[in-house]
């Protein structure tokens, strides 16, 4: 009997080792890049309520399933964000009608989140095409290194901001050097989108929160915590990704007041960690007309239950500030997570969503990103919208879909002109455009 028992244990362990799984975690330690070792998993059904009731009507999705899913994401992953501050204030600090060689009007707006002198604030940069004959649709996104890095326009104010000093291991309040202008020009394709009749609005990541474990002390999360008289976050208080998403919603608050912009047609767009933020912005704030997730990866558009590339445990370890404290409970048991990426994509329905991958960006699990869009389809169908139009993961450089769209382009983790070309086509086909004649 004893012999049989230990024999069974040996077989059991051997089975899990061969299958690449561990008994306790649901996902083994380490990182997998072999599709054959992804393992089996079962995804929560987008159209079944937690109490087991099937969702067969749009009305039930809107009144029950959607709010239930938003709460699940808030409780277990992103945390709860504050509402729009009562004392939100917009100050247009500069306007240049002749920016980028006369192609655009550039505005800079300071958005203040409170009335006091110590109130947190963010700097919004806006370009509107001068060919506009009325309010235009816009893309809005969080930039990584400051507004001055997104174009070669020397007129952009370089503001004092939190800059990470990797030698000293702390962030410093300073004005970045002139030499850092236009560093991220390739990622934003400003002139291309202006030429196609779109506006671009962008805010710097560090204005919302400098991106390291203790960065919250210098960002909006620290500001609101102090305002509430607290010194510690609750397990379901917002993480940095939710804070960046919240910044996108506050940018939209401003855009609603700007007569050059058609605020019903603003698409949240983000790359990588800011793709995670764009997804949550569009999922939690239904005013966004659509969402573009560029290489957002783990805890963005990639299915977390797939053991491929980055894992929940790894993201919570490398970036402990990105999600709420409750999310760490799933480090060793991702199967217990009540949500997954397909539900995040589904929360954008029936609005247009674009999920994009890069073939060499295996850390982000390109196929897992495709599958999240695929498994969100039932909710789009409930609204009478078409899905991706393909059953299998498409070949590289073969964009698919209409309302739900996807591509995997050749190359690395980045936003390239090729990606923007697809995003502009996607916006053209999905938005009711009032733009250049
Ligand atoms: C990586 C992280 C990814 C992705 C990426 C980025 O280090 O593991 O989840 O967000 O950073 O934002 O560039």
């Amino acid at each position: 009997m004893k012999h049989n028992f230990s024999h069974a244990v040996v077989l059991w362990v051997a089975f899990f080792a061969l299958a690449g799984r561990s008994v306790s975690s649901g996902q083994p330690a380490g990182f997998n890049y072999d599709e054959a070792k992804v393992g089996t998993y079962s995804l929560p059904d987008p159209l079944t309520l937690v109490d087991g009731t099937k969702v067969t009507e749009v009305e039930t999705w809107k009144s029950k399933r959607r709010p239930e899913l938003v709460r699940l994401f808030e409780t277990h992953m992103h945390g709860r964000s504050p509402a729009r501050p009562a004392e939100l204030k917009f100050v247009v600090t500069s306007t240049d009608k002749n920016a980028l060689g006369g192609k655009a009007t550039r505005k800079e707006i300071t958005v203040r989140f409170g009335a006091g002198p110590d109130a947190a604030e963010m700097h919004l940069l806006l370009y509107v095409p001068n060919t506009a004959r009325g309010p235009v649709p816009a893309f809005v996104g969080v930039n990584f290194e400051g507004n001055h890095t997104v174009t070669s326009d020397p007129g952009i104010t370089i503001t004092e901001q939190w800059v990470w000093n990797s030698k000293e291991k702390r962030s410093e309040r300073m004005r970045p050097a002139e030499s850092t202008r236009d560093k991220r020009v390739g990622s934003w394709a400003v002139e291309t989108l202006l030429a196609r009749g779109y506006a671009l609005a962008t805010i710097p990541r560090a204005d919302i929160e400098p991106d390291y474990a203790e960065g919250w002390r210098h960002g909006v999360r620290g500001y609101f915590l102090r305002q509430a008289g607290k010194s510690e976050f609750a397990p379901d208080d917002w993480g940095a990704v939710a804070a960046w998403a919240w910044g996108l919603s506050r940018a939209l608050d401003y855009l609603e007041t700007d007569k050059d912009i058609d605020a019903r047609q603003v698409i949240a767009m983000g790359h990588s960690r800011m793709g995670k933020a764009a997804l949550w912005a569009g999922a939690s704030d239904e005013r966004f007309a659509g969402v573009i997730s560029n290489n957002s990866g783990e805890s963005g558009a990639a299915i977390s239950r797939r053991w491929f590339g980055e894992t929940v445990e790894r993201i919570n370890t490398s970036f402990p500030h990105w999600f709420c404290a409750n999310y760490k409970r799933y480090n060793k048991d991702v199967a217990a997570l009540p949500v997954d990426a397909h539900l995040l994509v589904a929360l954008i329905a029936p609005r247009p969503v674009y999920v994009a991958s890069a073939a060499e960006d295996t850390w982000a699990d390109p196929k897992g990103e495709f599958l999240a869009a695929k498994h969100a389809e039932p909710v789009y169908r409930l609204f009478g919208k078409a899905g991706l139009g393909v059953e299998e993961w498409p070949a590289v450089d073969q964009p698919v879909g209409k309302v739900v769209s996807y591509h995997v382009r050749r190359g690395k983790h980045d936003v390239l002109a090729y990606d923007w070309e697809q995003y502009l086509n996607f916006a053209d086909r999905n938005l009711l455009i009032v733009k250049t004649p």
Side-chain angles (χ1 to χ4, degrees):
M1 193 65 193
K2 191 166 183 272
H3 174 81
N4 283 348
F5 176 72
S6 41
H7 187 65
V9 169
V10 170
L11 278 178
W12 191 240
V13 169
F15 168 77
F16 276 97
L18 276 174
R21 320 276 296 168
S22 85
V23 183
S24 61
S25 72
Q27 275 180 355
F31 308 108
N32 173 46
Y33 295 101
D34 179 353
E35 192 59 37
K37 290 189 183 151
V38 162
T40 53
Y41 53 89
S42 88
L43 293 177
D45 178 7
L47 294 178
T48 304
L49 286 163
V50 167
D51 71 7
T53 314
K54 297 279 175 215
V55 177
T56 54
E57 312 275 333
V58 164
E59 196 36 51
T60 322
W61 167 265
K62 284 190 184 163
S63 64
K64 296 219 167 69
R65 184 58 170 157
R66 187 174 199 290
E68 175 176 275
L69 284 174
V70 169
R71 270 196 308 278
L72 288 172
F73 275 104
E74 285 176 343
T75 308
H76 301 277
M77 187 178 175
H78 281 296
R80 283 167 215 271
S81 303
R84 172 190 164 125
E87 281 156 332
L88 193 67
K89 205 172 153 201
F90 311 117
V91 185
V92 180
T93 55
S94 81
T95 304
D96 180 355
K97 289 189 188 298
N98 208 19
L100 298 172
K103 292 190 197 109
T105 296
R106 183 193 63 240
K107 297 184 203 180
E108 294 177 304
I109 302 101
T110 300
V111 181
R112 292 185 60 80
F113 302 129
D118 65 332
E121 61 183 32
M122 68 177 187
H123 299 92
L124 175 65
L125 170 69
L126 176 64
Y127 281 102
V128 180
N130 280 343
T131 45
R133 297 285 170 271
V136 291
F139 294 93
V140 60
V142 182
N143 63 68
F144 282 72
E145 290 178 81
N147 292 342
H148 62 289
T149 63
V150 309
T151 73
S152 53
D153 179 352
I156 300 172
T157 309
I158 303 186
T159 54
E160 215 181 62
Q161 50 191 274
W162 291 103
V163 178
W164 179 245
N165 181 328
S166 49
K167 266 202 196 127
E168 303 285 325
K169 298 238 177 308
R170 62 183 164 85
S171 67
E172 290 170 344
R173 192 78 186 153
M174 58 175 271
R175 190 180 173 278
E178 284 290 328
S179 60
T180 61
R181 281 191 191 277
D182 82 9
K183 213 173 152 186
R184 295 279 186 152
V185 116
S187 308
W188 292 93
V190 178
E191 306 227 2
T192 310
L193 62 92
L194 288 166
R196 302 254 315 235
Y198 291 87
L200 175 75
T202 185
I203 53 172
R205 125 173 97 169
D207 279 15
I208 297 296
E209 178 160 331
D211 195 358
Y212 63 102
E214 295 293 309
W216 62 270
R217 297 180 189 283
H218 304 309
V220 297
R221 288 199 299 146
Y223 171 69
F224 285 109
L225 198 69
R226 290 190 294 276
Q227 291 290 107
K230 294 182 186 160
S231 56
E232 266 175 46
F233 293 113
D236 64 346
D237 272 345
W238 55 339
V241 174
W244 292 315
W246 184 90
L248 291 174
S249 287
R250 305 293 71 83
L252 183 50
D253 293 338
Y254 166 75
L255 296 174
E256 286 180 334
T257 70
D258 190 316
K259 60 174 182 19
D260 291 341
I261 303 297
D262 183 348
R264 297 164 309 164
Q265 301 194 68
V266 176
I267 293 181
M269 184 274 174
H271 169 58
S272 207
R273 67 199 68 187
M274 295 314 168
K276 306 182 211 291
L279 283 163
W280 181 234
S284 58
D285 185 342
E286 291 183 274
R287 294 175 303 163
F288 287 104
V291 173
I292 297 166
S293 150
N294 189 88
N295 307 178
S296 64
E298 176 54 55
S299 305
I303 297 284
S304 296
R305 280 167 172 77
R306 273 172 56 84
W307 182 49
F308 196 103
E310 191 173 21
T311 61
V312 168
E313 179 172 24
R314 169 61 186 243
I315 214 166
N316 277 327
T317 311
S318 317
F319 308 101
H321 55 296
W322 278 5
F323 300 97
C324 74
N326 277 342
Y327 196 43
K328 297 186 174 66
R329 290 199 213 153
Y330 303 98
N331 281 355
K332 300 227 179 280
D333 193 6
V334 74
L337 184 65
V339 293
D340 211 317
H342 63 308
L343 302 175
L344 192 56
V345 177
L347 283 173
I348 296 157
R351 295 162 294 155
V353 63
Y354 204 123
V355 174
S357 309
E360 290 172 40
D361 185 19
T362 50
W363 183 239
D365 185 10
K367 188 173 182 186
E369 295 178 316
F370 167 75
L371 289 172
K374 188 74 197 150
H375 290 295
E377 283 179 342
V379 182
Y380 279 85
R381 287 210 194 90
L382 185 71
F383 281 93
K385 306 274 181 194
L388 291 161
V390 292
E391 292 309 312
E392 301 298 325
W393 187 30
V396 288
D397 300 340
Q398 301 285 319
V400 295
K402 187 177 171 229
V403 178
V404 184
S405 299
Y406 175 85
H407 72 246
V408 51
R409 69 153 164 75
R410 70 190 63 219
K412 295 192 169 62
H413 185 72
D414 203 347
V415 199
L416 303 181
Y418 177 89
D419 299 307
W420 274 108
E421 184 65 28
Q422 313 317 316
Y423 302 153
L424 287 160
N425 295 344
F426 161 78
D428 281 356
R429 68 178 174 259
N430 285 300
L431 298 181
L432 237 186
I433 296 184
V434 190
K435 50 173 203 168
T436 49

